[in-house]
């Protein structure tokens, strides 16, 4: 078993918020793998590359992506808020279908769990990166609710965006992420499905913590129940 709590799901489902809170409550490290795809896309744009074409091997070989704690460094620098824009998200989704990109980012993700317990969120953590994770969650919410949440997150949507345009944006990204040939977004067969529509963040976190405790993940406060359910 890998010392990993895997959290996968589509854009805007609230993965980052609950994953961060879950990690804090359990006292585990938190890794956001979307940042890897976003950072690589940012670097490719800065290098003037065409994202519709496979990124050249020599470009990939020059990229240094490294987590220092929870912060991802790209070629020695923290890219900061540049990773959070809607444009960067769309570019990340675009390059994430390239098999060479996924292959390049696989060891970076696996290395993160070598010496510690982690909560890792993404699209293929439970299916490809850590198929033997201690526990796997697939976090979803209705398209409209996801769009509403995205709209409320400053800096994550384009200027002038409204509910309709954010719905269209998320729908496009869902399609792209779940229809690609390599490591498409889908729940692992043994994932716990969590529909967060209508739930508060705290309710979702409690649900996940309870399940983590029952699955033998260490850390945090004592389980609220000790009987089987
Ligand atoms: O989680 P996010 O919105 O930051 O991810 C941005 C894009 O990166 C997402 O649309 C698809 C891609 N991605 C991926 O393919 N696999 C992951 N494990 C994480 C993100």
């Amino acid at each position: 078993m890998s010392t990993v709590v895997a959290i996968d799901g589509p854009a805007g489902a609230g993965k980052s918020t609950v994953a961060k809170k879950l990690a804090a409550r359990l006292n585990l490290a938190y890794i956001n793998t979307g940042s890897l795809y976003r950072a690589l896309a940012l670097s490719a744009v800065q290098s003037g590359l065409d994202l519709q074409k496979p990124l050249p091997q020599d470009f990939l070989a020059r990229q240094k992506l490294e987590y220092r704690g929870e912060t991802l460094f790209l070629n020695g620098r923290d890219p900061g808020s540049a990773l959070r824009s809607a444009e960067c998200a769309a570019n990340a989704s675009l390059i994430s279908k390239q098999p060479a990109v996924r292959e390049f980012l696989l060891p970076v993700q696996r290395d993160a769990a070598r010496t510690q317990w982690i909560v890792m969120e993404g699209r293929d953590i439970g299916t490809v990166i850590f198929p033997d994770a201690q526990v796997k969650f697939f976090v979803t919410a209705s398209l409209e609710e996801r769009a509403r949440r995205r709209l409320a997150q400053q800096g994550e949507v384009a200027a002038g965006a409204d509910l309709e345009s954010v719905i269209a944006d998320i729908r496009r990204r869902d399609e792209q992420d779940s229809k690609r040939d390599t490591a498409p977004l889908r729940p692992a067969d043994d994932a716990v499905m969590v529909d967060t529509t209508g739930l508060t963040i705290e309710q979702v976190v409690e649900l996940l913590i309870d399940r983590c405790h029952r699955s033998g993940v260490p850390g945090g406060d004592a389980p609220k129940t000790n009987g089987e359910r």
Side-chain angles (χ1 to χ4, degrees), residues 1-222:
M1 283 276 179
S2 292
T3 53
V4 174
V5 176
I7 302 187
D8 290 306
K15 295 187 303 290
S16 300
T17 311
V18 296
K20 244 183 257 177
K21 283 183 183 283
L22 178 69
R25 286 274 300 274
L26 293 178
N27 215 3
L28 310 180
Y30 160 70
I31 302 282
N32 175 339
T33 62
S35 299
L36 291 170
Y37 293 86
R38 288 172 183 248
L40 208 51
L42 181 70
S43 183
V45 168
Q46 286 169 346
S47 301
L49 294 171
D50 180 354
L51 305 187
Q52 302 284 352
K53 296 192 184 140
L55 299 181
Q57 274 303 333
D58 66 322
F59 164 78
L60 289 177
R62 283 196 310 276
Q63 304 310 304
K64 298 222 166 359
L65 290 161
E66 180 203 354
Y67 286 104
R68 296 186 198 160
E70 288 177 8
T71 309
L72 177 69
F73 279 72
L74 166 66
N75 301 325
R77 289 208 191 121
D78 173 4
S81 60
L83 295 189
R84 302 315 317 164
S85 74
E87 188 191 354
C88 192
N91 287 339
S93 178
L94 199 58
I95 63 159
S96 71
K97 62 183 176 200
Q98 298 183 18
V101 164
R102 306 204 73 86
E103 206 172 302
F104 173 71
L105 294 178
L106 193 130
V108 185
Q109 295 168 83
R110 291 208 175 138
D111 276 358
R114 215 178 280 290
T115 57
Q116 57 185 349
W117 272 88
I118 55 170
V119 175
M120 181 174 271
E121 60 145 310
R123 301 290 188 287
D124 62 341
I125 310 307
T127 51
V128 176
I129 309 298
F130 292 108
D132 63 344
Q134 183 87 13
V135 60
K136 302 174 186 177
F137 295 104
F138 194 85
V139 177
T140 58
S142 71
L143 183 60
E144 240 194 77
E145 174 127 354
R146 289 192 282 135
R148 266 198 300 274
R149 289 177 188 165
R150 240 325 104 96
L151 207 50
Q153 288 171 312
Q154 282 189 354
E156 297 243 353
V157 290
D162 59 10
L163 191 63
E164 289 304 302
S165 68
V166 177
I167 286 179
D169 225 45
I170 292 187
R171 187 178 275 133
R172 198 165 33 243
R173 207 134 74 87
D174 279 357
E175 278 245 337
Q176 196 155 264
D177 292 347
S178 48
K179 294 212 170 128
R180 65 184 177 221
D181 293 335
T182 313
L185 168 68
R186 67 168 182 82
D189 293 339
D190 52 349
V192 179
M193 301 297 291
V194 183
D195 185 345
T196 68
T197 312
L199 296 183
T200 65
I201 290 164
E202 283 316 318
Q203 285 172 322
V204 179
V205 173
E206 286 304 330
L207 205 146
L208 266 53
I209 285 187
D210 183 49
R211 188 61 192 227
C212 281
H213 282 139
R214 289 193 284 129
S215 301
V217 176
D221 29 66

